[in-house]
Amino acid sequence: MTARAKGARKKKPTRLRLAPAEGLSPELEMLLARFRLLATLRLGWLEKLWGEEAAPSAKETISRGEIETNLADRDSPAAESLWLEKDKWAGRYRMSLNKIERSIDGDESRLAAINKIFGLSKEDSDLLQACLAVALDPSLARVCAYLQDHTGRAYMTEDLAARIFHYGRSSVWGEESPLFRWELISTKDMGPAEPRAITCDPYIRDWLAGRGRTDELLVEAARLCEPRSPIGSRSIQETVEFINRALNGDSSSRLRVTITGARGSGRRTLAANISAAVGLPLLVIDADQIDEPAWPQIFLRAQRQAFLERRAVGWIGESLSKRLWPAIPFFPLQFAFREVGQELPPISELVERTVKVPPLAIEEREKLWRQYLPGSSKWPKGDLDSLAQTYRVHVGDIADAARARVADSEEAVKRVRQSARARLGNLAQLLECPFGWDDLVVPDVLQETLKDIVFEARNRGAFWEQDNARSMFPQGRGLMALFSGPPGTGKTMAAQVIAARLQHDLFRIDLSSVVSKYVGETSQNLEKILSRAAEMDAVLLFDEADAMFSKRVNEVRDAQDKFANTDAAYLLQAIESFPGIAILATNQKHNIDPAFIRRLRFVLAFEPPNAAQRLDIWTKVIGGLEGSDRVEAMHDDLKSLADSIDVTGAQIKFAVLGAIFIARRARQPLETAHLFRGLERELAKEGRSLGGRDRKRMIKDGA
């Protein structure tokens, strides 16, 4: 549909009034003025042609004059250029245009900066200016429609820009242009047989206008990270000097500094301090907030903003290890944050440097607790010292406790334990630890050894901070124990008692999430668990440990045997390097590789309870659930049960539980007959049954 009004065409070209744009910088005012002058010159030429047509056209008709103009090629670029040179009216506008263009060419302008950063040619810069003009002054969209003689084309097109800037009849910009590669302008399909619309990216428009903001695609995932005072002994000078050497020696160098450490260990703050020391703010982007299909575009937008605002870019998130960096020129200084064991895809022609965040020493932890919680000075004497020595927290954990406004050391302990629990995710199950020493019925020698484990666990932190201890034991600083014995003998309960006495969480490792049929995945899964747990104050319980730490194959028959041995070798090294507390529980000690056992600090055997221990367990369980009166009433029968029936502690617990519900169903107090029925259920699980004499007794008691 034609955009020309009905009736005769104007004989004289429209005059342009140049008014300053409200609220824009002088630079953008000149860019707008330039576009308006160029559009006015194009309009003058078109109105000259329209005025020469034999008959005026109507909105929905095509005149013979238009056809003759097109067939005669009167609107050729050459004819238009000749008119611009000869016409006096056009000459006056060309003088104004030349003056503005000389001012725009200054090297200090934002347009000049964007041209240099992204390598824009003159043609690229002109197209960007055309899109920018329409973005800054939307009323110019109607000018675009008029110049294209089509009311439906109220937008900038490449062909229109080519005519306005005198580059020919049609587009001179290919898809390889930096304008499109860097998304400085975008295109939109307008339908069949219609030219595509081109628009200036809103962030680029605002940047050229001096309005600083975060790219809309980065808003959800990006945060500006502020530098802070260095923590304790964390010197950044060596890394800063390395960055300066790497970047100043070669302008084409690209550097990625990987900061390794646990969540909350201060990785981003450390990077922000390093970045600030080389004169750059740090923009951190969480890759986990980015959908996979959007990753290439958001990566590009992050680099674009980094170039324009001179910011280093930091990348964080578990998904980072699976994300390939697109093959585009990225900002010279990039940071990546990873946990121990997490690997990042390599990038060719990239200078790499890894910085490990060191764990906080006891003195540093105490200082941070005092800094973040000034009220801790009023805590009971020794509470803060105990907190700093017992819990190997990170600065993020302390900051979290401060935000929660914990009132005392007990609340602080609960808070740091709660914040640490999420680190293992679905790789482990948190177990409740309601038991104490009195609940655990084991031989005295075994209980004393368990208390040795607790004592060492409490005091190992200060011990391993001694230089002489660390030099003598470069590895093997972890506290590892093997609990072996038949099911139900108290292995899990012993682990629960240890964790409770230490005020640590106990995590049972889910073997289904660790052991994999795929080559190499078992070791990778275990590495993830151990690397995260190494930074936590927790006790790991590997139940059915023989499934993971089994003997290596002596005679390798196939590839599966070979990779199984590789996994075993890796697990051996990983366990030896693990600095935390771990308990391996197994019913089949003979299946565990002897090399693992040699590296363990404690190896404890849990045997089925003897008669005295069984009586103790019967008494404790019934007393705890039904009260001491029931225990006294059934004492002789309980002793007889303990003497005559060989069962484990777990079987006793579940037999009592079943008996209680049997009694309640019968609306009777708990009696020995109910215990027999509950016990019979438990024995049936392993194919056993009560003897004939026991059955006669059950009949006699009326059960």
Side-chain angles (χ1 to χ4, degrees), residues 538-681:
V539 179
L540 298 184
L541 174 62
F542 290 90
D543 211 356
E544 301 179 15
D546 50 283
M548 189 180 305
F549 304 99
S550 57
K551 293 179 181 179
R552 283 169 285 187
V553 179
N554 291 325
E555 184 180 350
V556 177
R557 299 178 179 177
D558 53 28
Q560 195 64 34
D561 288 342
K562 177 181 177 181
F563 286 118
N565 280 353
T566 302
D567 267 349
Y570 171 80
L571 296 177
L572 183 64
Q573 180 183 0
I575 285 294
E576 188 174 26
S577 302
F578 180 60
I581 305 171
I583 296 171
L584 282 61
T586 180
N587 306 331
Q588 304 179 57
K589 178 184 173 183
H590 60 278
N591 283 342
I592 294 183
D593 194 318
F596 284 112
I597 296 177
R598 287 196 299 270
R599 286 163 170 80
L600 301 175
R601 294 277 294 111
F602 296 87
V603 178
L604 284 71
F606 286 72
E607 301 293 340
N610 57 31
Q613 291 167 342
R614 290 195 293 269
L615 177 59
D616 196 7
I617 297 171
W618 281 110
T619 301
K620 288 180 183 293
V621 175
I622 294 174
L625 293 174
E626 292 292 293
S628 58
D629 291 345
R630 279 289 85 202
V631 173
E632 291 179 8
M634 302 168 61
H635 180 269
D636 292 342
D637 288 341
L638 292 179
K639 187 176 185 309
S640 178
L641 276 175
D643 289 340
S644 59
I645 303 178
D646 187 11
V647 286
T648 65
Q651 288 172 319
I652 293 173
K653 285 176 64 176
F654 284 108
V656 172
L657 181 63
I660 288 174
F661 283 99
I662 291 171
R664 291 187 179 183
R665 181 189 174 198
R667 298 183 180 181
Q668 297 173 352
L670 181 67
E671 299 289 352
T672 305
H674 305 133
L675 293 180
F676 270 110
R677 289 185 59 187
L679 187 57
E680 191 172 43
R681 289 181 187 173

Side-chain angles (χ1 to χ4, degrees), residues 260-452:
T260 302
R263 298 179 186 181
S265 61
R267 294 173 297 175
R268 281 174 283 190
T269 298
L270 179 59
N273 290 342
I274 293 172
S275 191
V278 297
L280 297 171
L282 176 65
L283 185 70
V284 177
I285 301 174
D286 187 351
D288 293 343
Q289 298 294 319
I290 304 170
D291 294 335
E292 184 66 32
W295 167 253
Q297 185 181 27
I298 290 182
F299 185 89
L300 180 141
R301 293 292 185 94
Q303 304 307 324
R304 192 180 71 175
Q305 182 154 340
F307 277 115
L308 290 174
E309 300 188 12
R310 298 290 299 167
R311 292 180 178 177
V313 184
W315 301 92
I316 196 168
E318 287 188 35
S319 62
L320 202 58
S321 59
K322 303 176 183 177
R323 300 283 173 87
L324 296 177
W325 286 25
I328 63 169
F330 47 80
F331 191 75
L333 180 57
Q334 307 277 318
F335 288 90
F337 308 101
R338 69 178 179 91
E339 297 181 45
V340 176
Q342 181 185 12
E343 297 297 331
L344 303 181
I347 301 176
S348 60
E349 300 179 1
L350 182 72
V351 180
E352 295 268 16
R353 183 176 179 85
T354 299
V355 178
K356 185 175 182 180
V357 180
L360 294 171
I362 294 174
E363 183 180 348
E364 292 171 339
R365 295 199 292 264
E366 182 178 347
K367 181 179 178 181
L368 285 168
W369 277 115
R370 294 186 187 279
Q371 176 184 333
Y372 279 85
L373 289 172
S376 61
S377 60
K378 299 179 182 179
W379 291 356
K381 185 178 180 180
D383 279 14
L384 184 60
D385 293 341
S386 176
L387 180 64
Q389 181 169 338
T390 304
Y391 293 95
R392 297 174 299 118
V393 295
H394 305 299
V395 62
D397 301 321
I398 298 175
D400 177 68
R403 285 191 294 269
R405 299 183 180 181
V406 297
D408 51 36
S409 61
E410 185 177 348
E411 282 191 23
V413 168
K414 290 180 180 177
R415 192 70 190 184
V416 298
R417 288 175 65 175
Q418 182 179 359
S419 64
R421 286 170 184 165
R423 292 177 189 164
L424 290 179
N426 59 358
L427 297 172
Q429 176 191 3
L430 178 67
L431 297 183
E432 293 185 15
C433 299
F435 304 117
W437 292 122
D438 291 340
D439 299 304
L440 188 63
V441 180
V442 293
D444 292 343
V445 174
L446 181 57
Q447 187 163 119
E448 284 301 310
T449 306
L450 293 172
K451 290 180 178 179
D452 287 340

Side-chain angles (χ1 to χ4, degrees), residues 3 60 77 103 108-109 113 158 211 235 242 281 299 322 327 331 334 413 415 467 546 585 612-613 673 686 689:
E60 298 184 1
S103 300
E108 302 300 322
S109 70
E158 294 167 69
R211 297 191 292 266
S235 174
F242 175 84
F299 185 89
K322 303 176 183 177
F331 191 75
Q334 307 277 318
V413 168
R415 192 70 190 184
D467 292 339
D546 50 283
Q613 291 167 342
E686 55 183 39
S689 62

Side-chain angles (χ1 to χ4, degrees), residues 10-19 36-37 39-41 43-45 47 83 87-93 96 143 146:
K10 297 180 180 179
K11 295 289 182 74
K12 289 186 177 181
T14 303
R15 294 187 61 82
L16 176 69
R17 294 181 180 179
L18 297 179
R36 287 178 177 134
L37 283 168
T40 300
L41 289 171
L43 177 60
W45 167 247
E47 289 189 333
W83 175 79
D87 189 85
K88 292 182 179 180
W89 174 88
R92 292 195 298 271
Y93 278 87
S96 299
V143 174
Y146 194 80

